[in-house]
Amino acid sequence: MPEYRRILLDGAAVQVTVDGEELVAGDGRRVKTQDAQHLPPVVPSKVIAVHLNHRSRVDEFGIELPDTPTYFHKPTSALNSHRGAIVRPEGCKWLNYEGEVAIVIGRTARNISPAEAGEYIAGYTVANDYGLHDFRDTDAGSMLRVKGSDTLCPLGPGLVTDWDFRGKSLRTYVNGKVVQDGTTDEMQWDMHYLVADIARTITLYPGDVLLSGTPANSRPVQPGDVVEVEVEGLGRLTNHIVTGPTLIRGDVGAQPTESEEVLSTALGGDWEFRGIRPPKR
């Protein structure tokens, strides 16, 4: 399966192909994969994400899925890359990983059927749909700051074409330990359905990205942690967590909170304890 990456090469953003342990530019320049400075593999005009899709995640929350998927938007300013630093703002505590498959659009798509959707997909890449749940009390509907804060949408390492999404494993690791372990077969709505659903009213352009949902066991990570998402056939996306250099400003806007909504979501959907959670010791 062909794989394309974007890297910073001699000061310019360059698309390269993978050739074993090397990346090859169109003009023949080569760089070792381990030495490359990666960029997001695509340049989307928008990033759209489904709220819930994996049945293990739904079961974890103890809820039922709606009849059709719901979505939120991640601004392109949240984009990040393979080996990029994920910034947890100073003053925030509840930054969760969410390993996912990202769908990349290859042709302008509008008003297409699920049966046609595959013709409009360029390929797939790995994503980590980080959530800054400290802002969940104020942004639960839009998810804007929760999912859209700077650096919280790493993609990579590359765009893989001719990849069949069916029956593929998806695992997330924190400091080498498996923390999420799912498959694409547990998705309620497959990749073609998601593309066709969005394209009914929103035109999708080449490079646009749709995030397809995460399995169970999204949990908080800490500065210094190394988080990896591995999808069978797509590779492994690696990032590390750092603390932001400045505090969240206190003189404007909603402040980070630590309510039952925040804790229940960040710590695994133990909704039955909402309002009666034992005090922290």
Side-chain angles (χ1 to χ4, degrees):
M1 293 178 290
E3 180 179 350
Y4 303 91
R5 301 189 184 188
R6 290 176 65 248
I7 65 171
L8 192 62
L9 184 59
D10 295 333
V14 177
Q15 186 181 66
V16 295
T17 57
V18 178
D19 182 16
E21 297 299 317
E22 293 186 317
L23 304 176
V24 186
D27 60 6
R29 285 178 294 173
R30 290 176 173 264
V31 60
K32 291 188 180 299
T33 302
Q34 63 185 16
D35 297 332
Q37 183 175 345
H38 282 74
L39 301 170
V42 294
V43 184
S45 71
K46 50 189 167 289
V47 179
I48 297 171
V50 65
H51 276 107
L52 288 171
N53 196 6
H54 281 251
R55 285 186 287 274
S56 63
R57 184 73 165 150
V58 174
D59 292 344
E60 178 182 35
F61 280 136
I63 59 176
E64 293 184 3
L65 280 173
D67 292 336
T68 55
T70 60
Y71 304 90
F72 59 93
H73 176 252
K74 289 174 83 85
T76 56
S77 52
L79 286 170
N80 204 336
S81 63
H82 177 52
R83 299 182 186 149
I86 306 300
V87 178
R88 190 185 76 177
E90 182 69 31
C92 293
K93 296 173 58 177
W94 304 108
L95 175 67
N96 281 44
Y97 54 78
E98 292 187 12
E100 308 201 6
V101 175
I103 307 162
V104 179
I105 300 300
R107 296 169 51 197
T108 300
R110 181 70 163 83
N111 195 30
I112 59 174
S113 70
E116 298 169 312
E119 302 171 16
Y120 293 82
I121 295 174
Y124 301 85
T125 189
V126 185
N128 199 328
D129 181 21
Y130 283 94
L132 190 65
H133 293 296
D134 305 73
F135 285 104
R136 193 171 185 89
D137 285 329
T138 53
D139 287 0
S142 71
M143 302 288 278
L144 182 60
R145 285 169 289 197
V146 176
K147 293 300 187 75
S149 293
D150 290 353
T151 76
L152 298 192
C153 188
L155 303 173
L159 169 67
V160 178
T161 60
D162 299 326
W163 181 74
D164 185 349
F165 60 79
R166 299 168 184 85
K168 298 301 191 296
S169 63
L170 187 164
R171 295 186 179 91
T172 303
Y173 303 78
V174 176
N175 302 326
K177 178 183 178 181
V178 175
V179 292
Q180 286 185 297
D181 192 353
T183 77
T184 54
D185 282 348
E186 66 171 290
M187 294 168 59
Q188 180 68 26
W189 300 288
D190 70 17
M191 313 300 185
H192 295 170
Y193 184 101
L194 297 176
V195 170
D197 186 18
I198 287 295
R200 290 184 304 156
T201 60
I202 299 174
T203 300
L204 296 171
Y205 296 108
D208 283 352
V209 170
L210 276 68
L211 305 186
S212 61
T214 195
N217 208 42
S218 166
R219 296 293 186 272
V221 284
Q222 308 299 322
D225 286 343
V226 174
V227 185
E228 300 169 285
V229 182
E230 184 176 47
V231 178
E232 182 182 353
L234 297 183
R236 185 179 288 215
L237 170 68
T238 301
N239 299 100
H240 59 282
I241 313 301
V242 301
T243 300
T246 56
L247 280 166
I248 293 290
R249 290 189 67 97
D251 58 352
V252 64
Q255 297 302 299
T257 57
E258 201 168 5
S259 68
E260 288 299 323
E261 171 77 12
V262 170
L263 293 175
S264 293
T265 304
L267 297 176
D270 47 352
W271 304 103
E272 67 271 24
F273 295 117
R274 179 173 292 175
I276 59 171
R277 184 187 301 276
K280 292 184 293 184
R281 298 183 183 277

